[in-house]
Amino acid sequence: MMAQLTALLTHPLGQMIAALAAIMAFLGVNGLVLLYTERKVAGFIQRRPGPYEVGPQGLLQPFADAGKLISKQLVAPMGADRLLFWLAPLVSLAPVVVCFLPIPFSPLLTGMEANLGLLLILAFSGLNTLALCLAGWGSNNKYSLLGAARAVAQSVAYEIPLLLAVLAVAFQAGSLDLSAIVAPQTKGLLSWNVFVQPLAFVIFFISAVAETNRAPFDLPEAESELTAGFHTEYSGMGFGIFFLAEYSYMVVVCAVATALFLGGWGGPVLPGPWWFLCKVFALVFALMWFRWTFPRVRFDQLLNVCWKWLIPLGLANLVATALAVKWMR
Amino acid sequence: MKRLIKTLKGLWSLIVGLKITGVELFKPWLTVHYPRQEVTNLSSFRGHIELMPAADDLLTPRCIMCWKCVEICPSRCISLRMHVKGEEPGQAGADPGLLLAPEVKSPYSVHLAPPPEKIERILDSYRLNYSLCSLCGLCVQACPVDAIRFSRNAYLVGTTRQSFDLDLLARLKSRAASAAVSARANP
C-alpha cells in the first residue's frame, strides 16, 4: 500500500496532481490570511484597530466575510452576456493554480520541474487580463467596460518592463528554470540577485504592482471613479473569486520576485520553504504598505512612468547585462 | 538633467511617504473602542439643553418662566407650560401645541403687562423638540438666571422622531433622583 502510494507520488503526473491539490488548499488559506492581514495593516497604518469584533482580535472576520460572500445571491445584470459574465471570474482564478506549479519553494518542494518555468508563469499570468476584459465586456455596464479598457492598456504596457527585468536575470543565470536561477543565489546574502541587478529588481517590482492592479496602480477598479471597475456588477462569489485571484496573483509575483532576486529558499537555520514563505510575505506586506501610502496615479502618469522611464531603463539594463555576461565568459 | 533631478526627488518623496506610514503603523491606536471604552473629553461637548436645578432644591428648576428662551429660539423648538399658584394648572401660557403653532404667543410679550413680582409660578412642563434644534445656544445666552445649560449627553440615540421630543423637567427630576442614589451610595 505504502509502496504504491510512493510510486504514485513519485510519478511526474501523480506529483503534479498532488501539487495542484496542495496549491488550491494553499490559495484558499492564503486568501483568508491576506484578507485579514490587509485590513489589519490598513487599520494600523490609520491608527485604528481594524477588524476586532468577530473572534479574538477579529481573527474569525475572514471566515465571516467568506460565509457572507458564499451565501449571497448571484445576480447577472440585465442585458449582460451571461456566459462571458460567469466565465470571467473562473478565467481569472484558474491560471493562478498553474502559475504556482514551477515555483520552487525548496529544491524538493517544487510542483513541476520545468526548464521553461519562468515563461510558463509569465504566459499564464497574462490570462488575467483576458478575464478582466471578459468581465468588463460581459457586464453591460459602462464602469465595467472602462475598467476593462484600463486593465488591458495597463497590462500591455507593464508586461514589457516586467519581461525586460526578468530577461536580464535570465541572461545572467543562463536559464529560464526558476530552480536553476535560485541555486547560485543560495551562497549567502551578497549572492542575491537584488545586489547584482538592483535596477532590474526595482523595475520588476513596480511592474508587478501594476500587473496585479494594486494601488497606486489600481486604475481598473478605481473605486472613487469607476465604483468598482471591472467587478462592479459581480455579487457574492463572483466578486469573491476575483478577490481570491487578486491575492493569489500578489503571492505569485512576490514568489517570482523572491526566486529571481531575493535568493529563493536560501537562508540559515530554518528549512528552505520557511525562508521562501517569509520572503514572499515580506514582499506582500510591502505591497499592502504601498497601497495604504500612495494615492492612485492618473492614467497618463501611469503610462508615462512605463514608456518614458521603465522601458528605456529596462532596455539599458538588459543591454548592459548582455555585454557583461558576454565579456565575463 | 533637470527632469532627472525632478524624478529623483519624486522617488525620494515616495520613500519619505513610506517612512511616515511605516512609523504610524507602530504607534498606538487613536480611536476609542466605544462599547468597551468611552471618550473622556465630554466636558467640551454641547448636547441638547437641560434645566439646571435651584441651588437649594435639586428637584425644582431654576427657571423663572420668563419665556425668553421660547421667544428667542429661531427654530421654535422649546415650549413650556406653567400655572400661577392657586390657579388651575395649565391656564397661563397655554401650550400652543408643540411647535405646530407658527407664532408662539407668550402672555408677557406683547399683550399684557408683566405680572406682579410676588406671584409664585410653577413650571408644569418644559419640552424641547430636539429634532428641530440647531444647537445655536441663544436660549442659554438669553436666560437671565442661568437655568439652561448644554448637556453632555453624547450617547443620545432614538429610533423614532418622537424619541427626540424631550421632556426636560422629567429629565431634571430623574437626574436629581440618581444623584440622591449615588449620594446615598458614597456618602
Side-chain angles (χ1 to χ4, degrees):
Chain A
M1 178 69 195
M2 225 31 216
Q4 281 168 335
L5 201 67
T6 325
L8 194 69
L9 278 178
T10 43
H11 187 272
L13 198 64
Q15 192 191 358
M16 204 202 278
I17 290 169
L20 282 176
I23 288 165
M24 284 182 210
F26 173 73
L27 288 186
V29 177
N30 171 60
L32 291 177
V33 171
L34 287 191
L35 179 65
Y36 177 75
T37 325
E38 170 107 61
R39 294 178 64 181
K40 273 288 182 195
V41 168
F44 279 42
I45 283 182
Q46 294 165 355
R47 309 223 10 218
R48 52 185 177 80
Y52 201 84
E53 298 298 327
V54 192
Q57 294 290 321
L59 269 171
L60 298 179
Q61 184 68 45
F63 294 96
D65 287 353
K68 184 204 80 173
L69 284 178
I70 289 169
S71 56
K72 265 173 97 167
Q73 188 189 0
L74 295 172
V75 185
M78 199 193 279
D81 188 327
R82 295 181 71 93
L83 178 69
L84 293 187
F85 185 76
W86 292 120
L87 197 62
L90 302 179
V91 174
S92 180
L93 185 64
V96 188
V97 187
V98 184
C99 286
F100 270 97
L101 269 184
I103 286 174
F105 287 88
S106 82
L108 273 178
L109 204 62
T110 307
M112 185 180 69
E113 292 285 350
N115 54 4
L116 287 176
L118 200 49
L119 198 62
L120 184 75
I121 294 174
L122 292 172
F124 274 90
S125 61
L127 276 179
N128 191 37
T129 318
L130 177 67
L132 305 196
C133 194
L134 288 184
W137 176 255
S139 296
N140 189 28
N141 175 317
K142 58 191 168 201
Y143 297 121
S144 305
L145 193 58
L146 275 172
R150 288 179 175 195
V152 172
Q154 181 174 334
S155 296
V156 168
Y158 275 86
E159 207 114 281
I160 303 167
L162 188 86
L163 286 173
L164 291 175
V166 167
L167 267 186
V169 178
F171 271 22
Q172 196 194 329
S175 169
L176 282 172
D177 183 351
L178 280 169
S179 303
I181 294 174
V182 173
Q185 297 182 60
T186 50
K187 278 174 255 154
L189 189 67
L190 286 175
S191 64
W192 288 9
N193 271 341
V194 67
F195 300 111
V196 189
Q197 298 266 13
L199 186 59
F201 176 69
V202 172
I203 293 174
F204 180 87
F205 206 55
I206 294 176
S207 311
V209 177
E211 281 288 308
T212 47
N213 299 326
R214 294 280 301 176
F217 301 124
D218 58 343
L219 287 111
E221 50 178 290
E223 62 265 21
S224 51
E225 308 157 30
L226 302 179
T227 50
F230 61 90
H231 59 58
T232 304
E233 293 289 353
Y234 284 89
S235 62
M237 263 333 258
F239 167 74
I241 289 178
F242 271 124
F243 206 65
L244 200 60
E246 182 186 323
Y247 280 130
S248 309
Y249 277 111
M250 274 168 73
V251 175
V252 169
V253 295
C254 290
V256 173
T258 307
L260 290 183
F261 295 100
L262 299 182
W265 63 77
V269 191
L270 285 174
W274 292 110
W275 273 110
F276 194 88
L277 281 181
C278 282
K279 291 169 186 175
V280 167
F281 283 101
L283 286 180
V284 170
F285 172 75
L287 284 182
M288 292 176 180
W289 190 4
F290 290 171
R291 174 167 177 194
W292 298 104
T293 305
F294 301 136
R296 186 182 309 124
V297 296
R298 227 166 46 214
F299 202 72
D300 58 320
Q301 294 168 333
L302 173 91
L303 293 179
N304 273 348
V305 168
C306 178
W307 294 106
K308 290 188 180 168
W309 288 101
L310 296 184
I311 291 180
L313 284 174
L315 276 174
N317 187 52
L318 186 63
V319 170
T321 312
L323 288 177
V325 168
K326 189 82 181 161
W327 180 57
M328 288 216 208
R329 281 197 184 147
Chain B
M1 196 61 207
K2 217 173 167 185
R3 266 193 63 200
L4 188 70
I5 292 171
K6 202 179 152 196
T7 308
L8 288 178
K9 270 189 184 163
L11 283 176
W12 179 247
S13 76
L14 293 184
I15 294 171
V16 171
L18 280 179
K19 195 189 139 210
I20 291 171
T21 46
V23 169
E24 296 291 315
L25 185 68
F26 294 103
K27 285 189 187 165
W29 305 334
L30 284 175
T31 52
V32 170
H33 243 159
Y34 166 56
R36 299 179 195 90
Q37 303 167 317
E38 289 188 3
V39 288
T40 49
N41 57 349
L42 277 182
S43 59
S44 59
F45 183 79
R46 283 167 59 140
H48 64 78
I49 54 167
E50 65 183 2
L51 288 175
M52 292 280 282
D56 49 347
D57 181 10
L58 283 180
L59 282 170
T60 321
R62 219 183 271 179
C63 178
I64 53 168
M65 286 143 268
C66 64
W67 253 265
K68 280 194 172 154
C69 50
V70 179
E71 281 179 358
I72 205 161
C73 179
S75 318
R76 301 191 186 284
C77 52
I78 302 172
S79 61
L80 61 90
R81 255 193 307 187
M82 53 156 265
H83 68 273
V84 176
K85 200 171 188 180
E87 285 178 14
E88 284 293 303
Q91 288 292 304
D95 190 352
L98 184 64
L99 306 165
L100 296 178
E103 291 304 315
V104 176
K105 288 208 174 68
S106 78
Y108 313 127
S109 57
V110 226
H111 314 289
L112 302 171
E117 279 304 312
K118 286 288 175 190
I119 291 182
E120 198 176 338
R121 279 163 281 176
I122 293 158
L123 190 59
D124 292 328
S125 83
Y126 191 106
R127 301 182 79 87
L128 167 73
N129 190 339
Y130 191 41
S131 56
L132 295 181
C133 175
S134 60
L135 291 166
C136 65
L138 284 175
C139 49
V140 179
Q141 278 176 19
C143 185
V145 290
D146 288 338
I148 319 173
R149 69 165 180 202
F150 287 111
S151 71
R152 292 173 191 167
N153 187 7
Y155 302 112
L156 179 71
V157 286
T159 50
T160 57
R161 200 190 304 178
Q162 284 73 30
S163 58
F164 293 101
D165 181 7
L166 305 170
D167 187 346
L168 296 186
L169 195 60
R171 185 182 155 81
L172 176 84
K173 289 191 171 141
S174 74
R175 260 191 22 240
S178 61
V181 168
S182 63
R184 242 178 284 135
N186 348 287

